[in-house]
Amino acid sequence: MSLQTRHSSRIEQPGAEIIEPLVSFWERYSRVVLGVVAGIAVVGTVGYLMLHSRQVAEEEAAGKLAEASLYYWQGDYQRSLQVARETAQQFASTPSGLDAHRQAADAAYWGGDFPTAIAEYRRYLEKNPSGLLADAARRSLAYALESNRQYSEAVHEYEGLVGHFDRSSSAEFLMAAARCLRAAGQPQEALKRLQRVTDEFGETDYANQARIEIAELQAAGSGSAAR
């Protein structure tokens, strides 16, 4: 065997052992590999397009929401309500589209349309039931319910907020619940909420008012009993 032949055999044999399985694997699975690569590319492209589309939609929704907010601060509640509801309908899947329900509710409330305010607050809370903004919306919902004379539902919302804000706010909510109960003709239930204000939140500004109302209710009860 010549030197050239021996040299070639020593070099080609190791290479063949490595390359032949790779060639065999490629011949057998090349379509699968190419399909997977193509699938990954398609998923990546679709994901990018969806992300970009959502970003564009959110930018448009934020612009319309800002317009609704501007009308609101100008005191044009009807126009603010209209633009906010349009935003919520057109961009329902965006954060600003969700927040548009809260903006619409605020505009409706200050415009005196309490049923619409209640409906919009509830739509907002259905999709965003917890957190600071949700608590703020629930607080506004309670006031809207009270303004619409739905006293029992307002009491439920007010009492559900006790402990969610500062202590003064908790006292305020109990006072509001008592106010609703008095309006609903349930003075004894109102008395229980007022007593909680003095017992649990006696250091707040609301405690003195609660004591005055307790005295009023007790005096009214005594008068009724005497008669």
Side-chain angles (χ1 to χ4, degrees):
M1 183 180 293
S2 66
L3 178 62
Q4 182 177 356
T5 303
R6 289 198 301 271
H7 181 71
S8 297
S9 64
R10 289 174 184 172
I11 294 176
E12 291 173 2
Q13 185 63 29
E17 292 175 355
I18 297 172
I19 293 172
E20 285 179 7
L22 293 175
V23 171
S24 176
F25 175 85
W26 180 253
E27 288 176 349
R28 184 176 299 179
Y29 298 108
S30 60
R31 291 183 179 179
V32 176
V33 172
L34 290 174
V36 170
V37 171
I40 293 172
V42 169
V43 170
T45 301
V46 171
Y48 170 77
L49 292 175
M50 289 179 64
L51 184 62
H52 180 68
S53 176
R54 289 176 183 174
Q55 183 178 357
V56 170
E58 169 57 20
E59 289 175 357
E60 292 183 21
K64 291 206 69 172
L65 184 59
E67 180 184 354
S69 181
L70 180 62
Y71 285 125
Y72 174 81
W73 290 111
Q74 289 176 343
D76 191 346
Y77 301 123
Q78 188 59 43
R79 183 60 175 158
S80 177
L81 172 61
Q82 178 184 344
V83 175
R85 295 184 88 172
E86 289 173 358
T87 305
Q89 291 170 1
Q90 294 174 11
F91 304 98
S93 62
T94 66
S96 291
L98 171 59
D99 204 41
H101 286 297
R102 191 163 59 90
Q103 178 65 68
D106 288 346
Y109 178 85
W110 289 105
D113 186 355
F114 303 124
T116 296
I118 292 166
E120 291 294 340
Y121 283 131
R122 283 177 169 162
R123 289 189 184 103
Y124 176 81
L125 289 166
E126 282 176 5
K127 297 182 179 180
N128 186 39
S130 61
L132 185 61
L133 289 177
D135 284 342
R138 194 165 283 111
R139 179 180 190 167
S140 297
L141 171 61
Y143 281 110
L145 288 165
E146 181 182 359
S147 297
N148 203 46
R149 299 183 180 181
Q150 295 176 239
Y151 297 123
S152 61
E153 293 182 52
V155 169
H156 175 75
E157 296 297 340
Y158 281 130
E159 291 191 314
L161 288 168
V162 174
H164 285 228
F165 293 90
D166 57 87
R167 290 178 59 79
S168 181
S169 294
S170 291
E172 175 195 347
F173 298 142
L174 287 171
M175 292 289 291
R179 183 173 62 243
C180 289
L181 288 164
R182 293 184 72 174
Q186 302 180 56
Q188 293 306 310
E189 290 299 317
L191 192 60
K192 293 177 183 178
R193 275 64 175 185
L194 294 170
Q195 195 63 56
R196 280 191 64 189
V197 176
T198 62
D199 292 345
E200 300 176 28
F201 305 98
E203 82 285 1
T204 65
D205 293 338
Y206 291 97
N208 286 334
Q209 181 61 36
R211 293 185 185 98
I212 293 171
E213 293 190 22
I214 288 171
E216 290 176 352
L217 286 171
Q218 289 176 339
S222 299
S224 298
R227 286 193 296 272

